[in-house]
């Protein structure tokens, strides 16, 4: 009887060990994701320039290659026609730094001059991002964050 108990316990450990290995393998293959996005727009005042800053966390089991960022007015042609990865090809990239595990904290900052502000449509704006992992996987988020130009 003791031998059966030892065999049953051994079989249980093998099954649980296999399930644990599967869980670890699955955890390492999670899809590319973009989370915790925030945008901040500060208008220029007098001779002082303003700024636009966007931050987000990008997670990729293969590692983060880059993050393209595009701020676009809610009443632009993108609202009607939709935004595609092709539209994002020529836009600027954020600076991404590892922040733990498979996650990178990406920040994009640009100066906003008085002339930039005058030429920009007033009202709601959206921020689109195209994240690319080191294995080539991409994720387009057309409305990662919102802000208002007053």
């Amino acid at each position: 009887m003791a031998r059966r108990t030892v065999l049953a316990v051994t079989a249980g450990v093998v099954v649980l060990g296999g399930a644990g290995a599967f869980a670890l393998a699955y955890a390492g293959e999670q899809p590319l994701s973009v989370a915790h996005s925030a945008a901040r727009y500060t208008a220029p005042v007098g001779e002082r320039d303003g700024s636009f800053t966007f931050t987000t966390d990008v997670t990729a089991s293969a590692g983060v290659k880059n993050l393209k960022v595009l701020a676009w007015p809610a009443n632009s042609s993108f609202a009607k026609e939709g935004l595609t990865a092709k539209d994002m090809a020529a836009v600027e990239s954020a600076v991404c730094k590892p922040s733990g595990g498979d996650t990178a904290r990406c920040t994009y900052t640009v100066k906003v001059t008085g002339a930039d502000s005058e030429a920009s449509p007033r009202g709601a704006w959206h921020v689109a991002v195209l994240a690319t992992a080191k294995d080539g996987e991409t994720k387009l988020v057309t409305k990662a964050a919102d802000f208002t130009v007053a």
Side-chain angles (χ1 to χ4, degrees):
M1 181 101 128
R3 184 176 170 146
R4 269 193 236 160
T5 303
V6 170
L7 288 176
V9 169
T10 303
V13 168
V14 169
V15 168
L16 289 176
F22 174 76
L24 285 175
Y26 178 75
E29 296 300 322
Q30 294 184 5
L32 180 63
S33 67
V34 177
H36 311 294
S37 301
R40 184 178 70 237
Y41 172 80
T42 304
V45 177
E47 295 296 314
R48 190 193 70 188
D49 289 333
S51 64
F52 168 72
T53 302
F54 172 78
T55 58
T56 194
D57 293 328
V58 180
T59 302
S61 58
V64 177
K65 181 177 179 182
N66 69 17
L67 181 79
K68 302 271 190 169
V69 179
L70 175 67
W72 57 280
N75 62 356
S76 73
S77 61
F78 291 135
K80 295 175 189 150
E81 299 166 13
L83 187 62
T84 66
K86 185 177 176 183
D87 296 320
M88 299 292 290
V91 302
E92 295 179 346
S93 294
V95 174
C96 297
K97 297 180 180 176
S99 62
D102 296 333
T103 302
R105 181 74 167 172
C106 299
T107 304
Y108 174 79
T109 301
V110 64
K111 177 174 63 170
V112 178
T113 66
D116 294 334
S117 180
E118 301 241 348
S120 297
R122 302 293 180 243
W125 284 62
H126 304 295
V127 180
V129 297
L130 178 64
T132 304
K134 289 182 179 175
D135 65 1
E137 180 183 4
T138 62
K139 180 170 184 81
L140 174 65
V141 181
T142 59
K143 295 180 182 175
D146 302 312
F147 65 98
T148 302
V149 175

